[in-house]
Amino acid sequence: MGTRNDEIAGLLQEYADLIAITGGDAFKVRVYEKAARSVGGYRQDVACLDVGGLRRIPNVGGSIAGKIDEYLHTGAIHQLEELRARIPAGVRQLITIPSLGPRKAMVLYQECGVDSVESLEEAIRTGRLCGLHGFGEKTEDNLLHGIELMRKAGRRVNIGVAMAVAEEVVAALSAMPGCLRCAYAGSLRRMKDTIGDVDVLATARDAPALMAAFTTLPSVAEVIVHGETKSSIRTASGLQVDLRVVPRDSWGAALQYFTGSKPHNIRTREIAVHKKLKLSEYGVFDVATGEKIVSADEAEVYGMLGLPWIPPPLREDSGEIEAALRGELPQVVAEEDIRGDLHTHTDLTDGLASLEEMVAAAAARGYAYYAVTDHAPNLYMQRMTDDKALDQRERMRQLGDAYPEMCLLHGTELNIDPDGNVDWPPDFLAGFDLCVASVHSHFTQSAAEMTRRFVRACENRNVKIIGHPTCRTIGKREPVEADWEEVFRACARTGTALEIDAFPDRLDLPAELVRRAQEYGVLFSIGSDAHAVPHLSMMRYGVGTAQRGWLAPDRIINTWPVGRLQEFLAAPGARS
């Protein structure tokens, strides 16, 4: 079962936003924002803590601990409810528009009566914001683009949100007497970036009893449909979950059918027709006799079609059928292939856990190597200095004695400035075991400028990985524009790896670019970008993105044995 940390973190962030909307103290806003981040990334389930335990969470003082405790016992925070009552729901929704902050949302409401996303769009298009301080033509364009982004995302959520709900539901149903099998399917099983709703399949001795248990789970806010073999509910966060109970002997066929995708299923049904078979969610049937041939095992369903089992992330009708027929289906990377994490942060910069806590958690995952890559000084708000970096390096050397089975790498995440330069001079950078370089600002440069920026970073002999290359934040910020083929050529020429950032709101490099980059011989790294101990488990989403990009383990540097990785990190590469 999942924790309630994200739920409570969301409430604290909402409280911070409402304080800002109502013109409250900026310091108080930051206090609640920091507390929200700390609760969201805390290693324990905060629902199991008393007030004393809550106060031991970083950035959570007595007042905030009291609010969390109040929510855990009553289901509400009265001060939050009071703020909600003062601000119309439509105004609160405005701050979900990318590029629109709480203060500007309140100005729009007070000065122009804008109280919804729709009324904001209408106000921009009719010129009602003309002359309003802080809302020039460029700001209006950004707001319209933000509204477009928000609508494109719709009710979809990132894979991390959906996975937490799905695994909680599957675990709860699997524990029910009479439940024989239970698993999630759909786009979640295919590891898509965003999920519209969660599909869950089950087999059970008593389907109505399992349906009754499903519709009364604690996470259920609304029962949409309640039937004997299919029910749909909506969680408190608004995510729809559909449960289907299928016959035991139809499990494999149902799992294949409800995993999708629709275009993939059309292709498999076409193959069945050519073999004088019929494929449905109930099984594979002989057309002439109507006899069910196979249905209980998904691999047997594919086998009857003359295909090997196809990993779910590949099932998008993007060439997987043809590759399978030719015997050329890739053996894509699996999470167990990952030997270490090369992109993580501690509380020295913007992380939430100490160096010691992060190293211990990496060791508990069985990693052969682990890198800490805290931010470099040009990301000024992180307050990194030379002395802090050197002190952390010494602490890591000392920690290495306590973890002889794990190679500790002292790294840094550099900032690629608008000209392609990075923090620190070459001599200082040479002291790091690993340098990741990422773009953190000036996202609106032209494609030509951004391409030169990346190429120059690749040509820096100290840079080994380009972090979260497209800079996208799913549903909030579009990818930067660049000539990606030119970037891929530069990576291949210089031996610079491209990262697949596994954090669920990034998943960057996206799968489609991963697949294209392979054509140029590019190497990759999958990094969790963890800022707290629980974030280390985000690696699974990066692996899913790599799978969707048809990526085999050998092209990923953190699947390599430690010796091979160290040779790669030590090699200067082909630099200009």
PDB file of all heavy atoms in Angstrom, residues 330-345:
ATOM      1  N   PRO A 330      14.192  -6.377 -30.045  1.00  0.00           N
ATOM      2  CA  PRO A 330      15.318  -6.102 -29.137  1.00  0.00           C
ATOM      3  C   PRO A 330      15.087  -6.682 -27.742  1.00  0.00           C
ATOM      4  O   PRO A 330      13.954  -6.770 -27.272  1.00  0.00           O
ATOM      5  CB  PRO A 330      15.349  -4.571 -29.087  1.00  0.00           C
ATOM      6  CG  PRO A 330      13.939  -4.145 -29.383  1.00  0.00           C
ATOM      7  CD  PRO A 330      13.426  -5.157 -30.380  1.00  0.00           C
ATOM      8  N   GLN A 331      16.175  -7.082 -27.121  1.00  0.00           N
ATOM      9  CA  GLN A 331      16.136  -7.471 -25.714  1.00  0.00           C
ATOM     10  C   GLN A 331      16.325  -6.201 -24.898  1.00  0.00           C
ATOM     11  O   GLN A 331      17.453  -5.808 -24.595  1.00  0.00           O
ATOM     12  CB  GLN A 331      17.227  -8.493 -25.414  1.00  0.00           C
ATOM     13  CG  GLN A 331      17.063  -9.812 -26.144  1.00  0.00           C
ATOM     14  CD  GLN A 331      15.793 -10.549 -25.718  1.00  0.00           C
ATOM     15  OE1 GLN A 331      15.518 -10.696 -24.525  1.00  0.00           O
ATOM     16  NE2 GLN A 331      15.025 -11.003 -26.693  1.00  0.00           N
ATOM     17  N   VAL A 332      15.231  -5.547 -24.573  1.00  0.00           N
ATOM     18  CA  VAL A 332      15.327  -4.225 -23.948  1.00  0.00           C
ATOM     19  C   VAL A 332      15.788  -4.335 -22.500  1.00  0.00           C
ATOM     20  O   VAL A 332      15.665  -5.379 -21.851  1.00  0.00           O
ATOM     21  CB  VAL A 332      13.980  -3.472 -24.025  1.00  0.00           C
ATOM     22  CG1 VAL A 332      13.665  -3.091 -25.457  1.00  0.00           C
ATOM     23  CG2 VAL A 332      12.849  -4.301 -23.422  1.00  0.00           C
ATOM     24  N   VAL A 333      16.305  -3.223 -22.015  1.00  0.00           N
ATOM     25  CA  VAL A 333      16.821  -3.153 -20.651  1.00  0.00           C
ATOM     26  C   VAL A 333      15.719  -3.460 -19.640  1.00  0.00           C
ATOM     27  O   VAL A 333      14.536  -3.154 -19.862  1.00  0.00           O
ATOM     28  CB  VAL A 333      17.424  -1.754 -20.389  1.00  0.00           C
ATOM     29  CG1 VAL A 333      16.360  -0.669 -20.462  1.00  0.00           C
ATOM     30  CG2 VAL A 333      18.161  -1.703 -19.051  1.00  0.00           C
ATOM     31  N   ALA A 334      16.084  -4.074 -18.529  1.00  0.00           N
ATOM     32  CA  ALA A 334      15.173  -4.318 -17.410  1.00  0.00           C
ATOM     33  C   ALA A 334      15.757  -3.648 -16.163  1.00  0.00           C
ATOM     34  O   ALA A 334      16.957  -3.336 -16.108  1.00  0.00           O
ATOM     35  CB  ALA A 334      15.005  -5.815 -17.168  1.00  0.00           C
ATOM     36  N   GLU A 335      14.917  -3.421 -15.171  1.00  0.00           N
ATOM     37  CA  GLU A 335      15.393  -2.714 -13.978  1.00  0.00           C
ATOM     38  C   GLU A 335      16.531  -3.469 -13.299  1.00  0.00           C
ATOM     39  O   GLU A 335      17.453  -2.855 -12.747  1.00  0.00           O
ATOM     40  CB  GLU A 335      14.243  -2.478 -13.001  1.00  0.00           C
ATOM     41  CG  GLU A 335      14.596  -1.502 -11.903  1.00  0.00           C
ATOM     42  CD  GLU A 335      13.413  -1.073 -11.047  1.00  0.00           C
ATOM     43  OE1 GLU A 335      12.292  -1.555 -11.287  1.00  0.00           O
ATOM     44  OE2 GLU A 335      13.618  -0.255 -10.128  1.00  0.00           O
ATOM     45  N   GLU A 336      16.493  -4.804 -13.365  1.00  0.00           N
ATOM     46  CA  GLU A 336      17.565  -5.571 -12.721  1.00  0.00           C
ATOM     47  C   GLU A 336      18.903  -5.422 -13.436  1.00  0.00           C
ATOM     48  O   GLU A 336      19.947  -5.809 -12.889  1.00  0.00           O
ATOM     49  CB  GLU A 336      17.185  -7.047 -12.629  1.00  0.00           C
ATOM     50  CG  GLU A 336      16.766  -7.683 -13.921  1.00  0.00           C
ATOM     51  CD  GLU A 336      15.259  -7.667 -14.120  1.00  0.00           C
ATOM     52  OE1 GLU A 336      14.588  -6.742 -13.608  1.00  0.00           O
ATOM     53  OE2 GLU A 336      14.749  -8.602 -14.789  1.00  0.00           O
ATOM     54  N   ASP A 337      18.907  -4.842 -14.647  1.00  0.00           N
ATOM     55  CA  ASP A 337      20.170  -4.593 -15.350  1.00  0.00           C
ATOM     56  C   ASP A 337      20.908  -3.376 -14.803  1.00  0.00           C
ATOM     57  O   ASP A 337      22.108  -3.205 -15.061  1.00  0.00           O
ATOM     58  CB  ASP A 337      19.918  -4.365 -16.847  1.00  0.00           C
ATOM     59  CG  ASP A 337      19.382  -5.599 -17.552  1.00  0.00           C
ATOM     60  OD1 ASP A 337      19.879  -6.701 -17.251  1.00  0.00           O
ATOM     61  OD2 ASP A 337      18.468  -5.463 -18.390  1.00  0.00           O
ATOM     62  N   ILE A 338      20.202  -2.517 -14.091  1.00  0.00           N
ATOM     63  CA  ILE A 338      20.793  -1.274 -13.597  1.00  0.00           C
ATOM     64  C   ILE A 338      21.726  -1.571 -12.420  1.00  0.00           C
ATOM     65  O   ILE A 338      21.312  -2.157 -11.425  1.00  0.00           O
ATOM     66  CB  ILE A 338      19.704  -0.273 -13.168  1.00  0.00           C
ATOM     67  CG1 ILE A 338      18.776   0.041 -14.343  1.00  0.00           C
ATOM     68  CG2 ILE A 338      20.331   0.997 -12.600  1.00  0.00           C
ATOM     69  CD1 ILE A 338      19.455   0.720 -15.519  1.00  0.00           C
ATOM     70  N   ARG A 339      22.980  -1.137 -12.530  1.00  0.00           N
ATOM     71  CA  ARG A 339      23.977  -1.416 -11.488  1.00  0.00           C
ATOM     72  C   ARG A 339      24.264  -0.215 -10.594  1.00  0.00           C
ATOM     73  O   ARG A 339      24.976  -0.347  -9.595  1.00  0.00           O
ATOM     74  CB  ARG A 339      25.281  -1.885 -12.121  1.00  0.00           C
ATOM     75  CG  ARG A 339      25.116  -3.152 -12.957  1.00  0.00           C
ATOM     76  CD  ARG A 339      26.471  -3.700 -13.340  1.00  0.00           C
ATOM     77  NE  ARG A 339      26.348  -4.791 -14.290  1.00  0.00           N
ATOM     78  CZ  ARG A 339      27.176  -5.825 -14.378  1.00  0.00           C
ATOM     79  NH1 ARG A 339      28.192  -5.915 -13.537  1.00  0.00           N
ATOM     80  NH2 ARG A 339      27.016  -6.748 -15.287  1.00  0.00           N
ATOM     81  N   GLY A 340      23.749   0.941 -10.961  1.00  0.00           N
ATOM     82  CA  GLY A 340      24.010   2.115 -10.134  1.00  0.00           C
ATOM     83  C   GLY A 340      23.242   3.324 -10.627  1.00  0.00           C
ATOM     84  O   GLY A 340      22.638   3.309 -11.703  1.00  0.00           O
ATOM     85  N   ASP A 341      23.282   4.377  -9.838  1.00  0.00           N
ATOM     86  CA  ASP A 341      22.568   5.621 -10.130  1.00  0.00           C
ATOM     87  C   ASP A 341      23.607   6.727 -10.252  1.00  0.00           C
ATOM     88  O   ASP A 341      24.431   6.922  -9.352  1.00  0.00           O
ATOM     89  CB  ASP A 341      21.583   5.919  -8.993  1.00  0.00           C
ATOM     90  CG  ASP A 341      20.500   6.906  -9.397  1.00  0.00           C
ATOM     91  OD1 ASP A 341      20.738   7.705 -10.316  1.00  0.00           O
ATOM     92  OD2 ASP A 341      19.415   6.877  -8.776  1.00  0.00           O
ATOM     93  N   LEU A 342      23.557   7.482 -11.356  1.00  0.00           N
ATOM     94  CA  LEU A 342      24.584   8.484 -11.641  1.00  0.00           C
ATOM     95  C   LEU A 342      24.056   9.916 -11.596  1.00  0.00           C
ATOM     96  O   LEU A 342      24.744  10.830 -12.049  1.00  0.00           O
ATOM     97  CB  LEU A 342      25.202   8.201 -13.020  1.00  0.00           C
ATOM     98  CG  LEU A 342      25.844   6.814 -13.185  1.00  0.00           C
ATOM     99  CD1 LEU A 342      26.405   6.659 -14.592  1.00  0.00           C
ATOM    100  CD2 LEU A 342      26.929   6.576 -12.142  1.00  0.00           C
ATOM    101  N   HIS A 343      22.862  10.124 -11.036  1.00  0.00           N
ATOM    102  CA  HIS A 343      22.324  11.486 -10.919  1.00  0.00           C
ATOM    103  C   HIS A 343      21.437  11.568  -9.679  1.00  0.00           C
ATOM    104  O   HIS A 343      20.276  11.164  -9.708  1.00  0.00           O
ATOM    105  CB  HIS A 343      21.529  11.853 -12.171  1.00  0.00           C
ATOM    106  CG  HIS A 343      21.028  13.273 -12.191  1.00  0.00           C
ATOM    107  ND1 HIS A 343      20.375  13.826 -13.269  1.00  0.00           N
ATOM    108  CD2 HIS A 343      21.072  14.273 -11.253  1.00  0.00           C
ATOM    109  CE1 HIS A 343      20.045  15.074 -13.006  1.00  0.00           C
ATOM    110  NE2 HIS A 343      20.446  15.367 -11.773  1.00  0.00           N
ATOM    111  N   THR A 344      21.985  12.077  -8.582  1.00  0.00           N
ATOM    112  CA  THR A 344      21.226  12.217  -7.332  1.00  0.00           C
ATOM    113  C   THR A 344      21.694  13.458  -6.583  1.00  0.00           C
ATOM    114  O   THR A 344      22.775  13.993  -6.846  1.00  0.00           O
ATOM    115  CB  THR A 344      21.398  10.990  -6.409  1.00  0.00           C
ATOM    116  OG1 THR A 344      22.732  10.963  -5.899  1.00  0.00           O
ATOM    117  CG2 THR A 344      21.092   9.688  -7.137  1.00  0.00           C
ATOM    118  N   HIS A 345      20.869  13.904  -5.636  1.00  0.00           N
ATOM    119  CA  HIS A 345      21.158  15.122  -4.877  1.00  0.00           C
ATOM    120  C   HIS A 345      20.992  14.877  -3.378  1.00  0.00           C
ATOM    121  O   HIS A 345      20.262  13.971  -2.960  1.00  0.00           O
ATOM    122  CB  HIS A 345      20.228  16.248  -5.321  1.00  0.00           C
ATOM    123  CG  HIS A 345      20.372  16.614  -6.764  1.00  0.00           C
ATOM    124  ND1 HIS A 345      21.266  17.563  -7.205  1.00  0.00           N
ATOM    125  CD2 HIS A 345      19.754  16.141  -7.881  1.00  0.00           C
ATOM    126  CE1 HIS A 345      21.186  17.659  -8.528  1.00  0.00           C
ATOM    127  NE2 HIS A 345      20.268  16.802  -8.954  1.00  0.00           N
TER     128      HIS A 345
END
